[in-house]
Amino acid sequence: MPTAREVFAGGLAVVTGAGAGIGAGLTRHLAGDLGMTVIAADVDAEAVHRIAGELGRHVVPHVVDVRDPDAVDRLARHVEEEFGPVRLLINNAGVEQFGYLWDVSPTNWQRVVEVNISGVFHGIRAFLPGMIAAGGRSHVLSLASIGAVTSLPLQAPYIMSKHAVLAMTECLHQEVAEVGADIVVSAVLPGLVESDIFRSAGGVESGDVAAAEEQRRTMLAIREQAISADEAAEAIVAQAARGEFYIVTHPELVHAAMAARAEQLVNRRPPAPHRSRFAAAEQARRRMRRQSR
């Protein structure tokens, strides 16, 4: 099996959402460990320039809002003109949302759709034609989530968006094969990875605000079980180099979720009330703390 260094070292990568979380971990790994030139794109100017400052000349920061198709088009044109063919495109930018679905505002719903779904589409539409035309082997990774193969209450907009990203990536895989392009398409399904996505997630302004904020607190509390963004990045890139389609950071957990989802569909069962294994573990710890007082 080829190694990440054999496949990617010295090439050109584009990473969206590169300023924090998994995106920052990927940027550090690609530029620092593999010596790739990384076009680091993020809507947060301070964050993306900070990581570029940490890593030096291998990282070229760009302030880009993936919700804006014209901005992503301009980025693609600039990259092609100034740096040449892209070997690795990672559509990573994403946001979270808490609250019962009927309490979520249209503005917050649209934010999730535009960043998590349309942002991936804009990246594919802007970069794929050039990658196909270049002719060499290249890779496209789109960040879904373990949520793409399961369901979860109080996070419906996010879960919906990750199901959409997975479906979009599966279709892209088929389309790339149909035109005979030498592009490896992969869907990334991380489990819990250190980031600020839960802290910066949207909430609700009316309705059951307390339920939304309790879900935020639950997810923040279980971050101690998360792996580091750098550890996740190394695992993701290694699997991409091997040409795997479903890339995971927590194999046991994600594979179990896939199996449960398949079994549910085969047996046509409605989704049961659900709490993640992470949340269940946290609730158990809380009960033990209360009993020890």
Side-chain angles (χ1 to χ4, degrees), residues 57-92:
R57 62 182 179 83
H58 283 296
V59 176
V60 183
H62 282 269
V63 180
V64 178
D65 187 341
V66 297
R67 296 174 295 181
D68 182 349
D70 293 335
V72 181
D73 283 347
R74 287 194 296 272
L75 175 65
R77 288 195 299 271
H78 172 76
V79 169
E80 184 174 357
E81 292 168 1
E82 295 295 322
F83 298 93
V86 173
R87 187 177 302 174
L88 175 61
L89 169 65
I90 304 182
N91 296 300
N92 166 73

Side-chain angles (χ1 to χ4, degrees), residues 168-186:
M168 191 187 331
T169 309
E170 290 172 336
C171 292
L172 179 65
H173 176 80
Q174 294 174 311
E175 292 178 353
V176 164
E178 186 163 308
V179 300
D182 193 9
I183 297 177
V184 181
V185 176
S186 302

Side-chain angles (χ1 to χ4, degrees), residues 105 142 244:
S105 70
S142 293
E244 297 182 19

Side-chain angles (χ1 to χ4, degrees), residues 167-263:
M168 191 187 331
T169 309
E170 290 172 336
C171 292
L172 179 65
H173 176 80
Q174 294 174 311
E175 292 178 353
V176 164
E178 186 163 308
V179 300
D182 193 9
I183 297 177
V184 181
V185 176
S186 302
V188 184
L189 283 71
L192 276 173
V193 177
E194 288 179 355
S195 77
D196 287 328
I197 192 170
F198 300 136
R199 196 177 305 281
S200 61
V204 298
E205 293 75 42
S206 60
D208 199 336
V209 176
E213 292 309 308
E214 176 61 23
Q215 184 70 4
R216 186 196 305 275
R217 285 191 293 273
T218 296
M219 299 307 291
L220 286 169
I222 62 178
R223 285 198 311 171
E224 67 189 48
Q225 301 176 48
I227 64 173
S228 72
D230 291 341
E231 184 180 354
E234 186 172 354
I236 289 167
V237 175
Q239 291 170 67
R242 296 195 296 267
E244 297 182 19
F245 179 81
Y246 295 106
I247 292 176
V248 301
T249 60
H250 298 69
E252 181 180 350
L253 184 65
V254 178
H255 294 164
M258 288 175 164
R261 177 70 172 174
E263 193 271 338

